[in-house]
Amino acid sequence: MARNNPVLAFSIVGAAFLAVGVGWCVVDRLDRQEVALLQQEGAIGTARVISYEDTGSAQNGKPRLRFRFEIQPEDGGAPVQVETTLVVTAMEAPRLQVGSLRKVRYLPRDPEVLRLLD
């Protein structure tokens, strides 16, 4: 049916693109400027989950959690304590338990701006 109806086909493709785009933005919650800064000035480190708690809010049915991370910079600098909120999917939850280690890119001057890399 979509083959015979170009508007319907466009709508289906657009909806799929929107769903993927929204999912990406929700988890990262970074704007374009922050993403660009991460690429230019970001440092790599290993983040250890120190704690997390429910904020009481959700986005698209997924809980928004407040995390405390300790980031050990890859270059050997002093560890950095960070508190930030993330929307956590069911697939990500097991990888974000207390004590879990995740590779991150973060801004040294504003460590709350971070992106999980693995």
Side-chain angles (χ1 to χ4, degrees), residues 23 25 28 32 34 43 46 53 58 74 84 99 102 105 108-109:
C25 293
D28 275 343
R32 288 181 182 170
E34 290 171 326
T46 301
E53 63 185 6
E74 198 172 69
T84 191
R102 298 291 301 269
R105 180 181 299 271
R109 62 184 162 102

Side-chain angles (χ1 to χ4, degrees), residues 15-86:
F17 176 75
L18 179 62
V20 170
V22 168
W24 179 257
C25 293
V26 166
V27 172
D28 275 343
R29 71 171 183 77
L30 298 176
D31 63 29
R32 288 181 182 170
Q33 183 180 8
E34 290 171 326
V35 171
L37 282 172
L38 277 175
Q39 291 301 319
Q40 295 168 359
E41 303 174 19
I44 304 292
T46 301
R48 182 172 56 88
V49 179
I50 296 172
S51 66
Y52 64 90
E53 63 185 6
D54 193 349
T55 64
S57 66
Q59 199 159 357
N60 295 330
K62 299 173 188 87
R64 179 178 296 281
L65 303 176
R66 180 175 297 110
F67 284 89
R68 272 195 22 206
F69 293 109
E70 180 178 80
I71 300 173
Q72 179 62 54
E74 198 172 69
D75 67 6
V80 179
Q81 297 280 326
V82 176
E83 188 171 304
T84 191
T85 60
L86 297 172

